[in-house]
Amino acid sequence: MASHLTSRRLVLSRSAALIGAASTGLLLPEIARAQGAKVRVGLMLPYTGTFAQLGVAIENGVRMAIAEQGGKLGGREIDWFKVDDESDPSKGVENASKLVQRDKVDVLIGTVHSGVQMGIQKVARDSGVLTLIPNAGVHAATRALCAPNVFRTSFSNGQPTMALGKAMVDRGHKKAVWITWKYAAGDEAFEGFKESYTKAGGTIVKELGLPFPNVEFQALLTEIAALKPDAVACFFAGGGAAKFIRDYAAAGLKGKIPLYGSGFLTEGVLEAAGPAADGILTTLHYSDSLDTPRNKAFRLAYAKSFKQQPDVYAMQGYDTGLLLAQGANAVKGDLANKAALYKAMESATIDSPRGKWTMSRAHNPVQDIYLRQVEKGENKVIGVAAKALADPGTGCRMAAAA
Ligand code: PHB
């Protein structure tokens, strides 16, 4: 009885204190505690394999954007968690679950590879954890399998190549061979290329492919030489892209059959590819040489921090950090206020090094696509190939997309 009275008295005095706090405008203890706790941010990226340097560039970019916020999200400190996804789709669900179930992250940032992204998408949809995609362009993530808690800050696989076909036909290249790794990213990049190239009057004479991440290009390059198309268009990225560019030149095709690509072909690989990359024309939502104060400041700060030049992946990581910070700031760190958080992220305009962009209703960037050419080890912008290009978001049904 006595203890009952004591505990009752405690409860009463505690609620009196709460009322006092509320009336003086102080935060209620529960909310103060939730906001004071660290935000748990999980990075699921490739740190080994052909996409390893893409993962590092993305992480650098994310950390740089957060550092500009004093290392905090909406005023809260951050606990970081990391998983190397190895660009292995068979471990996608397991790796994403490690971050969500074991590490109990509030935010999952990942990943690069479209196949692995499908695993993340499943875990994101099942758990409802806020998920930001800093690269992988797999269409389903912002089409049929879109979700209110999933936001992409990069591109959809068909976006860069939707701007490629016309640029090729404009240069008189009407018969093309397409070559890629045979997986979602390559196949969906082909969708964009096929639509834009045939619409502009071009003919695709052959589609060539090899499994990801194989780099035995020789037989395919021999076939291209025999086919004698006006041009070659492709999707490759990371270490494999550097090798493809070098092998293309070594096979004697450079200077004979112009090489075009989804712009990832020449991102982060120009040093490794050397002069073999000179002259390659690509389309992408970024270019090193964008002559804006925003891009110049970003490039300078990144080079200072990481002692290397940023590429599209670093920029996408940076924009992921910007979007997350913008959302977290809008809810003053209360990430549990999902309605307000998602609304802020959906309506954000990101002041990016690529140029300002907004979110489509299916949560994919609406952005300009640039035509670029490799010149002296740099991707030089030579024009805007598509203005404010949006992915169609076909099949996306969610409240936010209604
Ligand atoms: C993808 O798998 O979606 C992917 C990977 C690397 C890129 C672009 C897309 O550079």
Side-chain angles (χ1 to χ4, degrees):
M1 187 69 179
S3 70
H4 173 78
L5 276 176
T6 314
S7 62
R8 190 174 146 75
R9 215 170 289 129
L10 269 180
V11 169
L12 282 174
S13 62
R14 188 156 179 264
S15 33
L18 283 182
I19 292 162
S23 65
T24 55
L26 294 172
L27 287 171
L28 293 175
E30 285 77 2
I31 297 174
R33 202 165 39 243
Q35 293 192 341
K38 291 188 179 180
V39 185
R40 300 166 80 83
V41 178
L43 296 169
M44 177 162 157
L45 292 166
Y47 294 104
T48 49
T50 202
F51 289 160
Q53 64 183 35
L54 285 58
V56 171
I58 288 169
E59 177 174 349
N60 288 347
V62 171
R63 287 188 186 268
M64 185 169 133
I66 302 295
E68 288 174 3
Q69 300 283 318
K72 294 184 178 181
L73 274 175
R76 292 168 63 187
E77 305 272 354
I78 300 172
D79 262 343
W80 296 92
F81 299 85
K82 274 169 74 161
V83 166
D84 176 7
D85 69 35
E86 304 166 50
S87 294
D88 184 347
S90 74
K91 297 184 194 153
V93 168
E94 183 191 329
N95 281 326
S97 300
K98 277 185 195 158
L99 289 171
V100 170
Q101 308 293 343
R102 181 193 66 191
D103 302 331
K104 308 219 170 336
V105 297
D106 301 297
V107 185
L108 195 166
I109 296 175
T111 190
V112 168
H113 184 286
S114 276
V116 180
Q117 197 68 46
M118 291 301 281
I120 295 182
Q121 194 74 7
K122 176 168 174 25
V123 174
R125 284 166 61 96
D126 289 352
S127 66
V129 164
L130 174 61
T131 299
L132 282 81
I133 309 175
N135 184 75
V138 63
H139 286 170
T142 56
R143 293 192 187 175
L145 294 179
C146 71
N149 56 313
V150 177
F151 294 81
R152 180 150 52 200
T153 57
S154 50
F155 58 90
S156 64
N157 284 323
Q159 261 183 324
T161 42
M162 274 299 283
L164 185 60
K166 185 170 180 307
M168 291 173 67
V169 173
D170 283 351
R171 282 162 182 71
H173 303 134
K174 292 200 171 143
K175 286 201 167 70
V177 165
W178 169 260
I179 178 166
T180 189
W181 278 316
K182 290 297 293 173
Y183 81 107
D187 293 344
E188 293 175 352
F190 178 67
E191 279 178 35
F193 172 63
K194 187 175 169 190
E195 189 177 330
S196 63
Y197 193 59
T198 52
K199 200 169 145 200
T203 305
I204 299 162
V205 293
K206 186 104 193 199
E207 272 180 74
L208 298 172
L210 70 172
F212 174 87
N214 286 11
V215 289
E216 301 311 321
F217 300 119
Q218 204 46 56
L220 298 170
L221 292 171
T222 304
E223 197 173 342
I224 289 172
L227 286 163
K228 295 192 178 57
D230 296 344
V232 170
C234 68
F235 167 85
F236 291 109
K243 180 160 190 300
F244 181 73
I245 292 170
R246 285 196 309 265
D247 287 5
Y248 194 88
L253 298 177
K254 180 176 160 57
K256 285 205 188 114
I257 306 175
L259 179 58
Y260 290 80
S262 187
F264 305 106
L265 178 69
T266 57
E267 286 295 313
V269 304
L270 291 178
E271 224 168 279
D278 281 344
I280 296 175
L281 272 153
T282 62
T283 43
L284 199 67
H285 49 290
Y286 182 62
S287 173
D288 309 338
S289 74
L290 285 174
D291 191 12
T292 60
R294 186 75 178 104
N295 187 41
K296 285 185 170 160
F298 164 73
R299 297 192 67 83
L300 201 64
Y302 187 96
K304 247 187 183 167
S305 293
F306 305 108
K307 311 286 173 259
Q308 62 188 31
Q309 290 300 317
D311 54 19
V312 72
Y313 309 106
M315 179 280 288
Q316 289 168 178
Y318 183 70
D319 283 12
T320 301
L322 291 184
L323 176 68
L324 186 55
Q326 221 158 301
N329 287 339
V331 294
K332 298 194 172 49
D334 182 11
L335 301 188
N337 185 356
K338 293 191 175 182
L341 175 64
Y342 298 167
K343 191 158 178 256
M345 292 173 71
E346 279 163 357
S347 55
T349 297
I350 300 301
D351 186 12
S352 163
R354 75 182 93 170
K356 289 195 171 127
W357 61 268
T358 55
M359 272 294 167
S360 73
R361 287 189 301 168
H363 298 180
N364 190 68
V366 178
Q367 56 192 337
D368 295 346
I369 306 290
Y370 304 99
L371 179 63
R372 313 111 42 89
Q373 188 157 34
V374 178
E375 204 186 299
K376 295 196 192 94
E378 224 198 4
N379 285 296
K380 290 261 188 258
V381 69
I382 54 176
V384 177
K387 197 87 196 121
L389 186 68
D391 184 88
T394 316
C396 172
R397 312 228 181 288
M398 63 176 160

